[in-house]
Amino acid sequence: MKTFLARFDWLMLAVMLALVSAGTVAIWSAGSARAETVFHGMWVNNLVTAAVGLTLYFAIAAVDYRRTLDFLALPGYVVAIACLVAVLVFGTSVYGGRRWLWFFQPSEISKLFVISLVAWLFGRRRIPLLNIQVAGFRAFLLLAVAVGIPVALILAEPDLGTALTLLPAVAVMAFAAGVWRRGLAAIAALGGIAALAVLGAVYEAERPGVPAARREQIMRFVPLKPHQVRRVKVFLFPETDVTGAGYNLRQAKISIGSGGFSGKGIGRGEMNHLKYLPQSISMNDFIFCVWAEETGFVGSAVLLALFAALLGCGCRAALVSTDGRGRLLALGVSTLVFAHVYVNIAMSIGIVPITGLPLPFISSGRTFLVTVMCGLGLIQSVTIHREEQQT
Amino acid sequence: MANRAESSAGSLPCWVVAAVFAAGIVHLAVSLRALQVTSAADYNYASARQSVRRMQTAGLRGRILDRHGEVMAGNRPSLSIVCLPSGFEKRSWSNTVSAIERGIKEVGEAIGRPSPLSRMAISRHVSQSLALPLYVWRDIGERELAVFSEREREFAGFTVIKTAERVYPGGSLASHVLGYVGRDRGEIQSGDEKFSYFAPEMRGRSGLEAYYDGFLRGVPGEMKLLVDARGFAIREWTVLDATPGPDIATTIDLRIQKEVERQLQGERGACVVMDPRNGEVLALASAPGFELNAFVPTLSTETYARYIDDPAKPLLNRATGGAYAPGSTFKPVTALAALGAGHTADEEYICTGAYACGGMTLRCMSRWGHGPLDMCHALMKSCNPFFCNLGMTTGTNAFCRAARVFGLGSKTGLDLGVDRAGVVPDGDWKMSTYGEKWYPGDLAQMSIGQGMLLATPLQMAMVAGAIGTGSLVTPHLRLDAAPESRPLPFPESHLRIVRKGMRMVVAGDGNLRGTGWRGGEGVPVSVSGKTGTAEVGAGSSRRKNAWFIAYAPSDAPTAAVALVVENGESGGLTAAPKVCEILKAMFAEDGT
């Protein structure tokens, strides 16, 4: 207990609480703008969820993460895979994706379990149970399989956003763990080239003045679903279809931009309250727009500072940890949070194509909030249990 | 070291990752700054452009008064039941329209009036001006208002709006002077294309309402409406109050106007009474007239069709827009032209009852001829051969010049939309209009005000007044307009001869009666005038337009009148007694 209090990262907790407060305010504002009364009380739900998440946070932080990993990494991973399979079979469809199983989204939880598994497997020089060198090619194959299965299942939902945030987290962990770096670099390069190729192909096909026949010819080679093609198109040509496919992005940018330096005041965002900002996503993927409109650049900067502090806590945990597993865990969770923050805000302002991704602590997603807080609990545990307990 | 050995990860990757995080956060911060600080104004504008609608509002229309301040056209409050679409918002537009339709039906049943709007009209309002109230029943009565107010709480989404409507206390009085208004979107002011909506506004369509429309309308105001993403109005506020239009005082004297219209009742014709000293039009009437209040709030299709199909053309302003052959009322002009060309008043001509010229014969009123006549007596008797001869010996050019001096053949400049120029024909005109040569017979015809010569009653009133005062005035209807006049280029001696002749038309000479003797009977002041009976058409459609022009008092005229009655008996029989009544009314009490 003494170590727990002495080594507890209070800054991280303070930042979390601040973020939960900001999120609650944003959810209240976005919810009150909606006609359906059920959304008016969403902020209370968020507080309740945050309370649950905080409880789990303290519980996870209190236990040595090594034990947690030993006990839970493998079984958790298996359960997560099972849930991902189950969601494809029994899941509830919302907005064209099968993501819900009973009361939670397995894809959100699976992120944490995949990260835990990778940390557990690759945190030491030799991989447990299999006794393989981490730096070797076989370890790389193992990583590919261990990560490939859940990613494939998540992509099948489809939930491109979750897959896209999970991959960088895993890549950072593999990089830090020293898994076959040349291979990693090659894959990263290939991924980058593939992404650029897709962008280039869509640009070539959707450029104004391209005949329909040629467009079809090109699009046959682009492995994207129609709605994804639309999003890429909006990203490439944001001003061409502002009433159709580009409407969301246009309204998102107007909301954020019109917030100005100091914002329009909490609860007074016009784009939000007059329903210009698409209602179906203003509480989730586009909640940053609500926050940025009402609090302005000052609020945006405060939010970014809070996230920076949170990520700083994660990096600090990774640095102070003497253990590879702890280091990987801290880096993995931090990267996951960073990927969400970066992609979510960047898509809201049109820097990256629109991807359905929640903003940690701010969006009103219960599963994700709990997942993130559990992940941060693991980081806290890494901070507290930085040295192996002499037992 | 044992731990180190077991660890696969060094601290370098942590720093690399931290650097990437920092770069990412900084990138976001820089991008957000560009959006929220640098381009904030652009996005603010974009935000306002989609959520704020500007509406131009109309000021209260100014009134039109007569010269004594009596209201000729005013405003009255009008109540309308309107529907506020935001109270009927449904997920789909067609359900919204249906909800409004049901609501209107419900209210309609309660107040006992059917819905005046088709589903199409409601649908159009929803798709085009959703943010504005939808006017359902305009100008409702007290009973409907009582029923509606009693049950207003049941009728959510409906309310009563007070607007102003035009009212004409005189009904059809001076209808052609006043003109009527229609409803229109407001005038688009330059640089204000950014208005999304224009409050329906009264717009003058004819008469003074049209001519002084811009003056009467005042300065438009501005309102802003905050609308949500679907277009429903959330809030509205006034940015700039509309300034009411100023009243306009006219030169019309309602007392005279009423008498004039009484004289024209049942006839087709026109009459203009003006002050020859300054050009003020005291009365201007065209018969038949039309009911001005029928145009408020909007003219029904049936009434409009009735007016348009009426062969009497009630909407036509005959006083300024009806071009008639002036007939013998033109003879004073002929006389002045002849005097200017060297003829004298004492020259005698022997009237045989007909004048032959170029193969045609012009008949005189007196079948067997007037015998020998001088100029004044020729005017008094309105002898055709005398003036044919006079015109023929004067020549076309001198003759047309004299006619144009009186403003014939050109617009009078009256501040009313309708202002016909009429025709003073000459060789060039005939060639360009009909492609025919100018024959001597044309000049003979014109000398007695027939043929191709055309003038409006207003122009003839100006002629009468100009002869009486010696200078031609520009007529005007606005009381504070500056009088404009120019002296006639005839020597006073010539004018005196013509005035004497015109006085004799009414007063006679000794035992001899003039053709217009009925024009002065019982009038307390001396009257000078000239009758005219213009024959128009040929064969079975041949009819006579009866004219009388006059000025009074003869020695210092304060009134000039021209009156024409279509299809009359003769100027002396039909028109002169009517002018007499008008003059009696004018000079009966105070002599103004």
Side-chain angles (χ1 to χ4, degrees), chain A residues 85-265:
Chain A
V85 172
V87 81
L88 287 177
V89 182
F90 310 111
T92 323
S93 234
V94 178
Y95 298 128
R98 254 172 205 281
R99 296 180 191 167
W100 288 86
L101 189 66
W102 192 22
F103 65 91
F104 71 104
Q105 299 190 51
S107 59
E108 301 291 6
I109 293 178
S110 69
K111 291 173 191 169
L112 202 54
F113 283 113
V114 170
I115 288 170
S116 301
L117 183 80
V118 172
W120 182 66
L121 284 177
F122 298 90
R124 286 160 288 189
R125 286 188 180 279
R126 288 183 165 276
I127 289 165
L129 304 175
L130 300 171
N131 203 21
I132 315 172
Q133 281 280 343
V134 160
F137 179 67
R138 285 196 293 169
F140 176 75
L141 278 185
L142 176 68
L143 179 72
V145 172
V147 177
I149 293 170
V151 166
L153 288 169
I154 291 168
L155 282 176
E157 286 186 12
D159 189 351
L160 184 65
T162 295
L164 281 181
T165 49
L166 186 52
L167 285 177
V170 170
V172 161
M173 291 168 81
F175 164 69
V179 177
W180 199 45
R181 286 195 175 152
R182 254 181 261 170
L184 280 180
I187 284 185
L190 277 179
I193 290 168
L196 283 177
V198 167
L199 278 185
V202 173
Y203 180 84
E204 188 55 32
E206 301 289 348
R207 203 153 48 97
V210 174
R214 175 158 169 75
R215 181 179 310 145
E216 222 161 275
Q217 207 181 354
I218 297 173
M219 294 314 285
R220 214 175 302 150
F221 297 100
V222 176
L224 290 179
K225 296 202 162 50
H227 78 275
Q228 292 166 337
V229 172
R230 269 201 303 280
R231 288 173 173 182
V232 174
K233 214 175 118 185
V234 167
F235 169 67
L236 290 172
F237 311 105
E239 301 300 329
T240 46
D241 189 16
V242 291
T243 53
Y247 180 82
N248 288 6
L249 177 61
R250 173 84 186 142
Q251 296 304 332
K253 285 175 83 171
I254 292 178
S255 300
I256 297 170
S258 67
F261 185 76
S262 51
K264 298 178 185 172

Side-chain angles (χ1 to χ4, degrees), chain B residues 202-550:
Chain B
M202 283 180 273
R203 176 94 172 261
R205 297 263 190 231
S206 78
L208 287 176
E209 293 273 31
Y211 195 89
Y212 287 113
D213 191 53
F215 180 83
L216 291 165
R217 271 215 310 257
V219 186
E222 184 184 338
M223 227 170 86
K224 280 187 176 172
L225 298 144
L226 189 68
V227 298
D228 69 10
R230 301 189 74 197
F232 289 102
I234 303 298
R235 199 150 47 82
E236 57 180 53
W237 65 99
T238 301
V239 180
L240 178 71
D241 279 314
T243 316
D247 292 346
I248 191 164
T250 64
T251 56
I252 297 289
D253 188 326
L254 274 182
R255 197 170 52 85
I256 303 170
Q257 180 77 26
K258 276 179 196 155
E259 181 58 33
V260 166
E261 294 199 10
R262 213 178 63 202
Q263 291 305 319
L264 288 173
Q265 199 143 42
E267 306 279 5
R268 291 182 196 175
C271 176
V272 176
V273 181
M274 56 186 280
D275 188 328
R277 296 169 298 180
N278 50 24
E280 290 178 356
V281 176
L282 302 172
L284 189 149
S286 173
F290 52 93
E291 173 56 50
L292 288 169
N293 291 314
F295 290 81
V296 182
T298 46
L299 184 66
S300 71
T301 339
E302 301 88 71
T303 317
Y304 183 69
R306 194 153 51 74
Y307 283 148
I308 287 298
D309 297 340
D310 191 337
K313 294 189 183 155
L315 296 179
L316 170 70
N317 184 356
R318 292 172 160 81
T320 60
Y324 298 89
S328 303
T329 57
F330 187 71
K331 284 172 182 164
V333 180
T334 310
L336 280 166
L339 290 167
H343 287 279
T344 61
D346 307 328
E347 283 174 24
E348 288 204 346
Y349 174 81
I350 300 161
C351 170
T352 57
Y355 182 80
C357 150
M360 67 173 192
T361 308
L362 288 162
R363 300 212 63 84
C364 189
M365 291 274 285
S366 164
R367 197 156 179 199
W368 308 115
H370 291 111
L373 286 165
D374 65 4
M375 190 178 275
C376 290
H377 285 84
L379 279 170
M380 181 180 99
K381 288 290 178 196
S382 197
C383 176
N384 283 347
F386 180 94
F387 283 98
C388 287
N389 176 58
L390 207 57
M392 293 299 281
T393 52
T394 301
T396 311
N397 287 344
F399 190 83
C400 290
R401 215 178 306 127
R404 293 202 177 102
V405 159
F406 283 97
L408 298 176
S410 51
K411 290 178 180 293
T412 63
L414 180 72
D415 44 352
L416 196 67
V418 189
D419 186 13
R420 262 181 89 164
V423 176
V424 176
D426 57 17
D428 293 343
W429 180 86
K430 192 179 175 192
M431 186 51 78
S432 64
T433 313
Y434 294 110
E436 278 176 27
K437 260 176 64 188
W438 181 254
Y439 295 111
D442 294 323
L443 180 55
Q445 291 261 23
M446 191 161 79
S447 311
I448 56 169
Q450 299 264 86
M452 290 165 283
L453 188 72
L454 293 173
T456 64
L458 173 64
Q459 285 175 324
M460 292 318 291
M462 286 163 67
V463 168
I467 293 171
T469 60
S471 57
L472 185 75
V473 289
T474 306
H476 60 90
L477 279 162
R478 192 169 160 178
L479 192 58
D480 51 9
E484 267 178 55
S485 71
R486 57 170 196 274
L488 293 176
F490 304 114
E492 186 60 26
S493 56
H494 295 178
L495 285 169
R496 222 176 287 133
I497 295 161
V498 176
R499 283 179 196 145
K500 184 180 167 203
M502 286 177 75
R503 174 65 188 144
M504 281 159 67
V505 169
V506 178
D509 180 26
N511 293 329
L512 296 173
R513 263 184 179 165
T515 53
W517 65 272
R518 292 181 185 84
E521 257 195 338
V523 181
V525 297
S526 58
V527 179
S528 303
K530 183 68 194 82
T531 57
T533 310
E535 298 188 344
V536 288
S540 61
S541 70
R542 188 182 173 89
R543 52 192 200 283
K544 294 182 212 161
N545 290 339
W547 276 95
F548 192 68
I549 65 171

Side-chain angles (χ1 to χ4, degrees), chain B residues 45-198:
Chain B
Y45 175 68
S47 151
R49 213 178 66 165
Q50 64 179 8
S51 64
V52 179
R53 304 267 189 281
R54 298 179 54 182
M55 180 160 95
Q56 188 172 293
T57 55
L60 190 65
R61 197 174 174 82
R63 299 175 302 169
I64 300 176
L65 313 171
D66 91 333
R67 64 189 300 121
H68 303 301
E70 231 177 294
V71 178
M72 296 170 77
N75 300 302
R76 64 177 165 81
S78 158
L79 300 172
S80 303
I81 297 180
V82 299
C83 165
L84 306 170
S86 54
F88 298 89
E89 181 171 357
K90 295 278 179 294
R91 259 181 197 283
S92 84
W93 290 121
S94 89
N95 284 349
T96 307
V97 173
S98 300
I100 293 175
E101 212 178 7
R102 272 197 305 279
I104 290 177
K105 192 159 167 261
E106 206 178 303
V107 179
E109 276 164 10
I111 65 167
R113 274 175 74 163
S115 164
L117 300 172
S118 63
R119 188 181 165 86
M120 183 82 94
I122 300 169
S123 185
R124 201 179 318 122
H125 183 88
V126 166
S127 61
Q128 289 172 4
S129 26
L130 188 65
L132 301 184
L134 167 64
Y135 280 79
V136 186
W137 290 281
R138 282 184 184 283
D139 212 8
I140 54 166
E142 270 173 37
R143 195 191 59 80
E144 283 130 349
L145 177 66
V147 174
F148 180 82
S149 310
E150 202 173 287
R151 298 175 58 185
E152 192 163 5
R153 306 188 69 170
E154 293 171 47
F155 305 137
F158 286 89
T159 188
V160 171
I161 287 185
K162 190 164 131 185
T163 51
E165 287 290 0
R166 210 62 166 153
V167 65
Y168 303 94
S172 66
L173 189 64
S175 47
H176 294 98
V177 175
L178 292 169
Y180 48 89
V181 291
R183 292 217 163 257
D184 202 351
R185 54 180 283 169
E187 185 99 325
I188 302 171
Q189 309 279 319
S190 64
D192 278 351
E193 294 80 5
K194 42 197 184 274
F195 281 114
S196 326
Y197 299 123
F198 296 84

